[in-house]
Amino acid sequence: MDTTDIAIVQALREDSRLSMRKLAAVVHMSAPAVAERVRRLEEEGVITGYTIRVDEQKIAPRMLAYVNVHMKTNHHQSFLQLIEGREEVRECHRIAGGNVCYLLKLEVIDQSTLNEFLDILLPYANYSLNVVIASTIKP
């Protein structure tokens, strides 16, 4: 990859809907030359797909919460099996530091659903909870 390829990838990261003509203007090349480079980058697996970002809160408002999980035993497999099938668990990270074993990112429709999940969690672990009230930087 050269600097032009990197510039193409960066421009498409910022706006994957750029036309070849507009992308060509960004990297100072002709549209056919840029189209050929994009095709090559796709064939080489550098560009693996195109996507959109959606503000999910506008479609279906959700609560976001982070749960610090403090395991009650050293046997984590049953806990991991429990959370693997849970729709509200968006991420699970095994972490080090302090007495926290896992950090869960949850997305729930309301407080009641959050409470139900936390009740299911209690036989396996204790927890501390942080509920997101605002996000200033979104992915």
Side-chain angles (χ1 to χ4, degrees):
M1 282 189 47
D2 62 15
T3 57
T4 302
D5 289 339
I6 293 169
I8 289 170
V9 170
Q10 183 58 38
L12 289 172
R13 277 185 177 150
E14 292 172 13
D15 183 359
S16 63
R17 294 185 65 197
L18 280 175
S19 67
M20 289 300 134
R21 186 177 52 83
K22 289 181 181 176
L23 183 55
V26 169
V27 297
H28 310 292
M29 295 180 71
S30 69
V34 167
E36 177 59 28
R37 281 186 178 247
V38 169
R39 185 195 58 73
R40 183 178 46 79
L41 290 167
E42 290 169 344
E43 286 178 356
E44 292 174 355
V46 174
I47 297 174
T48 59
Y50 300 86
T51 187
I52 62 170
R53 285 178 280 179
V54 175
D55 187 343
E56 296 293 339
Q57 291 294 67
K58 291 182 179 174
I59 296 172
R62 303 270 186 195
M63 287 179 59
L64 187 60
Y66 290 89
V67 180
N68 291 306
V69 177
H70 316 272
M71 295 300 296
K72 291 181 177 178
T73 73
N74 290 332
H75 304 288
H76 297 196
Q77 197 58 39
S78 58
F79 162 76
L80 294 171
Q81 288 173 343
L82 167 77
I83 64 167
E84 186 175 317
R86 300 298 303 198
E87 180 181 321
E88 57 272 85
V89 178
R90 294 290 178 241
E91 296 176 16
C92 174
H93 304 277
R94 188 167 187 179
I95 60 175
N99 60 349
V100 176
C101 300
Y102 295 92
L103 175 64
L104 302 180
K105 178 180 179 182
L106 304 180
E107 192 175 68
V108 295
I109 58 172
D110 56 22
Q111 184 69 39
S112 175
T113 306
L114 177 60
N115 285 334
E116 289 172 16
F117 176 81
L118 296 174
D119 287 344
I120 291 168
L121 185 63
L122 276 176
Y124 302 92
N126 293 317
Y127 62 85
S128 58
L129 175 69
N130 295 293
V131 176
V132 175
I133 58 173
S135 297
T136 56
I137 299 175
K138 294 185 179 184

